[in-house]
Amino acid sequence: MANKSVFASLAGRLMPKAAAQTAHGTRAYAYGAEHRLAQLAMTGTIGGGFYQDAEAEVAALVAAAEAVEPLFLAKACVHVRAKGHMKDTPALLLAVLASRDPALFALAFPKVVTSGKMLRTFVQILRSGRTGRKSLGSRPKAMVQGWLNGASDAQLMAAMVGNDPSLADVIRMVHPKPETADRAAFYAWAIGKPADAAALPQVVQGLMAFRAGASAKVPEVPFQMLSDLTLSPAQWAEVAGRASWATLRQGLNMLDRKGAFAVPGVVEQVASVLRDPARIKAAKAMPYQLLATLRALEAGVDPRLREALHDAMEASVSNVPRLRGTVAVCPDVSGSMSSPVTGFRKGATTAVRCIDVAALVAAAVLRANPQTRVLPFEVGVREVRLQARDTILTNAERLAALGGGGTNCSAPLAALNTAGVAPDLVIFVSDNQSWVDGRQGGQATAMMAEWTKLKARNGAAKLVCIDIQPYGTSQAAEREDVLNIGGFSDAVFDQVAAFAEGRMGPDHWVGEIRSVSL
């Protein structure tokens, strides 16, 4: 009979070597250049996290963008914007691409800069000097000019909201040549120069007349352009009636304070919009945004609107797949997960934490797959009682309430091995900064060692690690049975399903980005 100790040690040596380090200096696996860029871009918010500040995050992302081929960088820009619904990192990658390959930049630009806000963010980043230049340059300038001339009046009015830079600043920088009289008049009005009032777009004329008291008709402009004016509750109700889904979600407290919900029928109308699955999908709503809205909702707001937000939460994760076989989901509830999911931002730090996002993912998977085993972990696995039929928000709050303690990513797998359980699919949601188990002997991480034990009992088992912070390392090595993905948009659920069902190619997540068409 073979010597068990010899073959046991051989198995240990065959496990992938963990040559990288976590923020604690413990073992981790490094991503390849393309995967690293994708992971940082899909999780980065340029706000800083528990282990690094915003400056370090930007430096890491720029270095990752410089380390890949320009074609992959261009495709990553588009993927991160379209699938990840990210706002700052696509603009940062696009700014790097502008210096590396102007032709690819021109192809990617219209697919990334899809709003005035993205346009202003791109200009801000490019002129900051963080990507190697402080001026726009001829090709970026031409692309910005083209966006301004091609945008609709509504898009330009929406772009008027916000500063640093404002739309007026952008217009002054690039000096767009207007192709029509009304666009020429708009540019002049936007930068505070005399404009031909008769040539201004109707929406601007309406705003000017309303501000001057010459018209009682509320103009169809972003509500931020009206917030300093005295409108009646009926007029605010009119604003609510034509607002977008995102505007309603963000403006509930303001509309309530303005008296809009006291107007008969308005609460029912707004609630209907908020819970409309088609409107939710079109708005690319993320569950954590709805959680933020629910937490910020003032006590006096009509409870029917709170119920509508709960329904919207359910609808926002309606694409969570029904997974075949047995499933375990492991949300990280350790202390580092208490940091804001979009980073620390002066005056704009979100109340939603990484632990909330991990809990939301776990609760959503449980709702779609009622037999799922949920193993929240920090130093060890925490006990929690969840009911699949409870609302996603209820279960998420129960999980998030467990927060605290060190990070031990091997703990859930060790618990499964101790129990003799080997699920077909194990899903982790973590920041991957494991350190409690990081100083044991051997070359692999403790998590990979426990996964090897589990695989010995179920050779078909698959592991998905969803990373929600831009630290750039993993506790599980990339291979055929392990998928490392980053981000917290609804695209994550599609990728989990594709991998679990064998529909995702050998290069996993990065392959999806390579397949992007420019």
Side-chain angles (χ1 to χ4, degrees):
M1 185 173 179
N3 186 320
K4 291 183 179 181
S5 62
V6 171
F7 285 97
S9 62
L10 177 62
R13 289 197 299 272
L14 292 176
M15 280 191 290
K17 182 179 180 179
Q21 290 188 336
T22 68
H24 287 277
T26 53
R27 290 188 185 86
Y29 294 102
Y31 295 123
E34 292 180 341
H35 195 135
R36 177 176 172 80
L37 173 66
Q39 193 272 340
L40 293 177
M42 286 288 277
T43 57
T45 56
I46 313 183
F50 192 87
Y51 292 107
Q52 67 182 8
D53 59 19
E55 292 290 325
E57 183 182 334
V58 170
L61 189 52
V62 170
E66 295 283 3
V68 301
E69 292 296 321
L71 180 60
F72 184 83
L73 175 58
K75 292 184 174 186
C77 290
V78 175
H79 180 86
V80 171
R81 177 62 176 152
K83 296 295 186 180
H85 313 325
M86 301 301 285
K87 298 177 179 65
D88 293 340
T89 55
L92 179 59
L93 298 187
L94 193 64
V96 176
L97 183 62
S99 297
R100 296 198 60 196
D101 193 311
L104 286 172
F105 161 77
L107 291 175
F109 183 93
K111 296 188 176 186
V112 174
V113 180
T114 56
S115 68
K117 184 175 182 180
M118 280 297 295
L119 182 81
R120 291 189 295 102
T121 300
F122 168 72
V123 172
Q124 177 193 23
I125 289 174
L126 199 62
R127 297 187 74 246
S128 71
R130 294 307 303 266
T131 62
R133 62 198 299 175
K134 289 193 174 182
S135 62
L136 266 67
S138 58
R139 183 64 67 92
K141 183 177 180 180
M143 297 304 295
V144 172
Q145 291 171 335
W147 190 94
L148 291 169
N149 285 331
S152 67
D153 292 338
Q155 286 177 308
L156 289 175
M157 292 301 285
M160 291 288 290
V161 177
N163 294 295
D164 301 323
S166 65
L167 183 66
D169 295 331
V170 175
I171 292 171
R172 293 189 189 97
M173 287 177 207
V174 303
H175 305 291
K177 295 181 179 179
E179 299 171 352
T180 61
D182 64 336
R183 192 50 52 96
F186 180 90
Y187 291 154
W189 172 78
I191 63 176
K193 288 188 174 182
D196 181 356
L200 283 168
Q202 286 298 314
V203 64
V204 178
Q205 292 187 40
L207 176 62
M208 293 173 67
F210 188 76
R211 283 183 174 274
S215 171
K217 183 180 179 181
V218 182
E220 296 189 25
V221 297
F223 77 86
Q224 293 93 334
M225 302 181 93
L226 304 171
S227 58
D228 62 335
L229 303 178
T230 302
L231 275 68
S232 68
Q235 288 174 319
W236 279 114
E238 185 181 343
V239 172
R242 61 176 182 241
S244 68
W245 186 92
T247 295
L248 285 176
R249 179 185 69 80
Q250 295 168 337
L252 290 174
N253 287 333
M254 183 273 293
L255 289 169
D256 183 64
R257 290 192 294 269
K258 299 293 188 180
F261 298 140
V263 177
V266 174
V267 168
E268 293 85 350
Q269 179 187 17
V270 171
S272 176
V273 171
L274 288 174
R275 59 165 52 97
D276 182 349
R279 299 284 291 268
I280 294 166
K281 184 176 181 180
K284 296 182 172 66
M286 295 195 204
Y288 84 87
Q289 293 172 323
L290 287 157
L291 177 59
T293 301
L294 278 163
R295 287 187 170 175
L297 207 60
E298 294 172 357
V301 175
D302 193 295
R304 289 173 289 179
L305 296 172
R306 189 177 296 275
E307 289 301 315
L309 288 170
H310 276 273
D311 291 343
M313 174 78 78
E314 301 286 332
S316 71
V317 293
S318 61
N319 67 331
V320 177
R322 292 193 178 277
L323 301 164
R324 300 171 187 169
T326 53
V327 180
V329 60
C330 311
D332 182 348
V333 298
S334 65
S336 61
M337 296 286 283
S338 64
S339 61
V341 71
T342 55
F344 295 97
R345 293 168 177 262
K346 186 176 182 180
T349 297
T350 178
V352 180
R353 305 159 298 170
C354 295
I355 191 173
D356 297 314
V357 172
L360 282 170
V361 172
V365 171
L366 177 64
R367 166 56 65 86
N369 303 272
Q371 302 306 313
T372 295
R373 186 185 296 254
V374 180
L375 303 169
F377 70 94
E378 26 107 345
V379 173
V381 173
R382 299 288 299 275
E383 290 291 330
V384 63
R385 288 184 174 273
L386 304 176
Q387 298 294 327
R389 297 184 65 179
D390 282 343
T391 68
I392 288 173
L393 185 61
T394 297
N395 280 331
E397 288 180 337
R398 287 173 182 155
L399 287 167
L402 301 173
T407 309
N408 181 359
C409 287
S410 65
L413 295 177
L416 290 171
N417 285 329
T418 299
V421 177
D424 299 305
L425 178 67
V426 180
I427 303 171
F428 270 74
V429 193
S430 174
D431 62 6
N432 274 324
Q433 296 302 294
S434 193
W435 61 272
V436 173
D437 56 355
R439 296 183 175 85
Q440 69 171 29
Q443 296 182 326
T445 62
M447 181 176 177
M448 208 62 197
E450 293 293 343
W451 179 245
T452 300
K453 295 176 186 176
L454 189 148
K455 286 283 289 185
R457 298 195 312 280
N458 182 356
K462 292 186 176 182
L463 174 64
V464 175
C465 300
I466 303 172
D467 198 338
I468 56 176
Q469 287 287 273
Y471 299 133
T473 61
S474 174
Q475 287 295 298
E478 188 82 354
R479 62 186 200 185
E480 290 298 310
D481 61 329
V482 178
L483 172 65
N484 283 294
I485 52 178
F488 34 84
S489 73
D490 56 355
V492 166
F493 297 125
D494 297 330
Q495 292 156 349
V496 170
F499 180 66
E501 296 169 10
R503 292 185 283 111
M504 190 171 279
D507 45 9
H508 302 330
W509 186 39
V510 170
E512 286 202 352
I513 299 174
R514 292 197 192 109
S515 68
V516 168
S517 173
L518 295 176

